[in-house]
Amino acid sequence: MTTILRTSATIGLLLAAVLFALAGCSSIGPGTVVRDRLDYSSAIADSWKRHTLLNIVKLRYVDPPISVDVGQIVAGYSLETDVSAGGTLEGGSDSLSLGAGARYTDRPTITYTPLTGNRFIRSALMPLPPDAVFFTVQSGWPADGVLFAAVASINGLKNQEGSLSGVTPPDPGFLRVLELLRKIQQSGAVAVRIQQDPQKRQTTLLAFRSKDASPETVADIAELRKLLRLDPEAHEFKMVFAATPSNDRELAVVTRSMIQIMGMIAAHVQVPDQDITEGRATPGLGGAATLRISCSQRRPLDAFAAVAYRGRWFWVDDRDLKTKRAFALLMMLGTMADTGEHPPLPLITIPAQ
């Protein structure tokens, strides 16, 4: 009777070992999707913000910006289990031996793509497409904020410009145009659309709607036409990339490149006065700065983005909504500028186990 009981116990343990081994054969991939997707997304977003901030600070010090993109992420996992069991039954005695082991491996492969050559020219040095900038306004972004950042001039009215000697203030008429466009945008009386001719050539049109508009909006549209020297009777205006229009039915827009946009934001970076006096950094806006990128010796505790450079910390306060919005707009405009073809990614082979 004792022998039978011991044999049953041995068989039970062997079955338990087999079930444990089978459990190790289930897929571990699906359970990693939710965790890894969020973790990698957060890591890329944080590194993108820090990367952008670093390039802005470097431009203040006339240090060439460098861009390195995350090209591809391949997360590879493996789970190996090893179970062994053995037993002997001789006469009135028996013996049982069990062994188990497991090994979990997480081996991600991340590729980085430097921004060089033709892609660098397209993404960093070429002006943004005017239609893309105005379609950003059409999608709901504030017209004054978008155009102040991305546009150098409209029908000859110039925005502020930065150089090694400092920042040239914008034309008062340019600022008034942005103010009026924002008010008209809020009323819903401005629209951007694409028109295609029989030769399949596309033209971007900016249209103003006076019908059913309030008297205040009609007055704003009339003032805007006067400032931009537009035909007071026309409702649609052809948008072109040029410094000045060829007639009073054209809206001539000169947009900025991403390097120019970052350079203007760099004028808001707080730097030690000694660095400016010694010629290490360009003069900025000083007390006139509307955005704020702070500088300190110690790493900030509550920062939206922070980066170390030249032995100091440069950072954006997490409570500074205006500067944070400017960063969000800058990163979105950066995706518009990335119009070049991406180089082929390296081929990665993942072993199946």
Side-chain angles (χ1 to χ4, degrees):
M1 184 67 177
T2 303
T3 301
I4 294 174
L5 291 174
R6 290 178 177 176
T7 302
S8 299
T10 301
I11 294 173
L13 291 173
L14 288 172
L15 288 174
V18 172
L19 291 174
F20 177 78
L22 291 176
C25 296
S26 62
S27 175
I28 63 173
T32 65
V33 172
V34 176
R35 181 193 71 233
D36 286 0
R37 188 172 185 177
L38 295 178
D39 289 348
Y40 279 117
S41 176
S42 298
I44 291 174
D46 290 342
S47 66
W48 191 9
K49 289 188 297 185
R50 295 183 61 197
H51 188 271
T52 302
L53 177 59
L54 176 61
N55 279 335
I56 289 173
V57 174
K58 289 173 70 176
L59 283 172
R60 183 67 189 271
Y61 283 87
V62 200
D63 192 356
I66 298 297
S67 182
V68 178
D69 291 341
V70 178
Q72 189 179 43
I73 299 175
V74 178
Y77 303 94
S78 65
L79 177 62
E80 301 176 6
T81 58
D82 181 21
V83 178
S84 62
T88 60
L89 178 63
E90 296 180 358
S93 63
D94 58 6
S95 62
L96 175 68
S97 62
L98 293 174
R103 183 176 65 181
Y104 175 78
T105 304
D106 178 4
R107 189 180 292 113
T109 301
I110 303 174
T111 61
Y112 298 97
T113 307
L115 191 64
T116 57
N118 185 57
R119 190 174 171 218
F120 176 78
I121 294 174
R122 285 178 173 270
S123 299
L125 300 182
M126 288 187 65
L128 297 171
D131 54 347
V133 173
F134 276 84
F135 272 120
T136 303
V137 175
Q138 179 74 31
S139 67
W141 280 79
D144 51 350
V146 173
L147 300 183
F148 187 78
V151 172
S153 70
I154 302 177
N155 276 22
L157 297 176
K158 294 183 179 181
N159 195 357
Q160 69 178 23
E161 292 293 338
S163 65
L164 291 177
S165 59
V167 177
T168 304
D171 293 339
F174 182 86
L175 296 180
R176 180 57 181 167
V177 165
L178 299 192
E179 183 182 354
L180 291 170
L181 277 173
R182 176 56 177 160
K183 292 172 65 178
I184 298 170
Q185 177 192 24
Q186 290 175 320
S187 71
V190 63
V192 181
R193 69 183 184 90
I194 299 293
Q195 178 177 284
Q196 194 174 68
D197 61 17
Q199 287 74 36
K200 304 296 183 181
R201 293 175 299 188
Q202 293 184 344
T203 302
T204 304
L205 300 175
L206 183 71
F208 297 107
R209 179 180 58 83
S210 299
K211 186 179 179 180
D212 301 327
S214 67
E216 182 182 358
T217 300
V218 173
D220 289 338
I221 294 174
E223 183 183 354
L224 181 65
R225 284 195 177 102
K226 184 177 181 180
L227 284 170
L228 296 177
R229 299 181 294 279
L230 298 174
D231 185 349
E233 303 299 327
H235 295 285
E236 291 185 338
F237 303 93
K238 181 180 177 181
M239 192 181 303
V240 296
F241 183 89
T244 56
S246 59
N247 56 64
D248 60 0
R249 294 201 173 200
E250 276 191 355
L251 189 70
V253 179
V254 176
T255 54
R256 290 170 169 164
S257 67
M258 288 304 300
I259 288 290
Q260 289 176 307
I261 296 173
M262 289 193 296
M264 292 310 305
I265 296 179
H268 298 263
V269 177
Q270 179 187 22
V271 299
D273 293 337
Q274 182 180 358
D275 287 357
I276 299 176
T277 303
E278 295 177 353
R280 302 180 188 275
T282 60
L285 292 173
T290 55
L291 307 179
R292 184 172 181 83
I293 299 176
S294 303
C295 175
S296 60
Q297 291 289 343
R298 295 183 179 181
R299 184 170 186 168
L301 298 178
D302 189 15
F304 170 72
V307 66
Y309 181 72
R310 289 178 174 256
R312 299 182 181 90
W313 282 93
F314 295 87
W315 50 282
V316 175
D317 196 315
D318 194 43
R319 295 159 293 190
D320 187 350
L321 291 178
K322 192 168 186 178
T323 305
K324 287 167 63 175
R325 188 182 71 170
F327 252 77
L329 175 61
L330 175 64
M331 295 168 75
M332 185 186 66
L333 293 175
T335 61
M336 293 183 188
D338 192 4
T339 56
E341 293 185 0
H342 291 203
L345 296 172
L347 181 64
I348 299 175
T349 302
I350 305 175
Q353 297 182 357

